[in-house]
Amino acid sequence: MEILSLNQISPDQVILWHWRFITINATLVFTWLVMAILILTSWLVTRNVTSSENISRWQGLLEVVVTGIREQIRETSHGDPDEYTAFIGSLFLFIGLSNFMMFVPGYVAPTSSLTTTCALAICVFIAVPFYGIKNQGVVHYLKEYFQPTLIFFPFHVMGEITRTLALMIRLFGNMMSHDKVIGILLAVTPFLFPVVMQCLGLLIGMVQAYIFAILAMVYIASASQAQEEKHQAAV
């Protein structure tokens, strides 16, 4: 059962409830569903966390996931992953679960909505100067925008904006096009081929979550480490 018809590009267009100026669409509902699953799972898994050798299977799975995320952050940033794990891990888990649930009938990934990918990209856009200023200070961070000369300032600003737009469009385009392809295949060949494409879509969805999280970490690391690299070069 598909709630998104072929002539609808985004789940934003699927209005589930409307009253005066309040509108609840499919994007909101499925975003709340993914958030609820993540929060409930986190609470259930972490409520009995122990440091002993005898741990539950869920704690073991949690440790594998968190360790994997920390190792990827460490390899990308070449530094301590502690301060980035919560933000990058949340991005990856939200996008990953949103895309992974596509096999559920009637479900539409909120990441196939431009409003969702825009919100995620804005989070990265805000996180870059936040971590940059936190690690370098305001003066040193802003100084990078005027390097090597003052006339490069608008180009640096344009670079920040365009890479945020690229994050937003890449995730939206991949997930939206996947939904459309599956919808067309279901209409033409309703059995084997759509199942294969759905499995391929799960892989693409997880790859997109990985790419989004890694690019976010690359942007944050580049803003946080520029001054540190200069200091090491001077030494």
Side-chain angles (χ1 to χ4, degrees), residues 62 127 165 205 217 227:
L62 176 66
L165 290 173
M217 190 62 245
Q227 189 66 23

Side-chain angles (χ1 to χ4, degrees), residues 88-136:
I88 299 298
S90 298
L91 281 178
F92 174 75
L93 291 176
F94 175 78
I95 299 172
L97 183 61
S98 296
N99 299 344
F100 183 77
M101 289 177 61
M102 287 189 301
F103 69 90
V104 177
Y107 174 85
V108 180
T111 47
S112 62
S113 162
L114 195 59
T115 54
T116 302
T117 59
C118 179
L120 294 170
I122 289 174
C123 289
V124 177
F125 182 77
I126 295 172
V128 170
F130 172 78
Y131 285 109
I133 292 172
K134 181 182 177 184
N135 292 324
Q136 299 185 55

Side-chain angles (χ1 to χ4, degrees), residues 22-235:
I22 302 174
T23 300
I24 305 295
N25 57 35
T27 301
L28 279 176
V29 171
F30 291 128
T31 299
W32 293 338
L33 175 64
V34 172
M35 292 170 60
I37 292 174
L38 286 174
I39 292 171
L40 181 62
T41 304
S42 300
W43 176 72
L44 290 173
V45 174
T46 58
R47 60 177 178 167
N48 293 321
V49 170
T50 175
S51 58
S52 65
E53 294 182 355
N54 298 322
I55 61 174
S56 65
R57 293 179 180 177
W58 286 107
Q59 183 178 340
L61 176 62
L62 176 66
E63 291 183 0
V64 169
V65 172
V66 173
T67 302
I69 293 172
R70 286 173 57 84
E71 287 303 316
Q72 288 297 318
I73 294 174
R74 193 191 309 278
E75 290 179 8
T76 306
S77 65
H78 303 291
D80 188 357
D82 284 350
E83 65 176 328
Y84 309 117
T85 301
F87 178 67
I88 299 298
S90 298
L91 281 178
F92 174 75
L93 291 176
F94 175 78
I95 299 172
L97 183 61
S98 296
N99 299 344
F100 183 77
M101 289 177 61
M102 287 189 301
F103 69 90
V104 177
Y107 174 85
V108 180
T111 47
S112 62
S113 162
L114 195 59
T115 54
T116 302
T117 59
C118 179
L120 294 170
I122 289 174
C123 289
V124 177
F125 182 77
I126 295 172
V128 170
F130 172 78
Y131 285 109
I133 292 172
K134 181 182 177 184
N135 292 324
Q136 299 185 55
V138 177
V139 175
H140 288 298
Y141 175 76
L142 294 178
K143 189 178 176 182
E144 294 298 324
Y145 281 87
F146 299 95
Q147 299 297 330
T149 61
L150 291 176
I151 61 173
F152 278 83
F153 173 74
F155 297 104
H156 285 299
V157 174
M158 289 175 60
E160 296 285 346
I161 295 173
T162 53
R163 70 186 187 185
T164 302
L165 290 173
L167 269 181
M168 174 180 70
I169 297 298
R170 179 186 294 109
L171 182 59
F172 165 71
N174 279 285
M175 302 316 300
M176 183 272 292
S177 60
H178 170 73
D179 279 348
K180 294 294 107 181
V181 170
I182 292 296
I184 293 171
L185 290 176
L186 282 172
V188 177
T189 56
F191 295 110
L192 182 62
F193 204 46
V195 173
V196 176
M197 289 299 296
Q198 196 72 284
C199 295
L200 181 61
L202 291 179
L203 176 63
I204 294 174
M206 298 310 294
V207 170
Q208 289 303 317
Y210 176 79
I211 291 174
F212 193 99
I214 287 297
L215 286 178
M217 190 62 245
V218 169
Y219 298 157
I220 292 171
S222 64
S224 302
Q225 294 179 343
Q227 189 66 23
E228 183 180 344
E229 289 174 355
K230 285 185 177 180
H231 176 71
Q232 290 175 351
V235 173

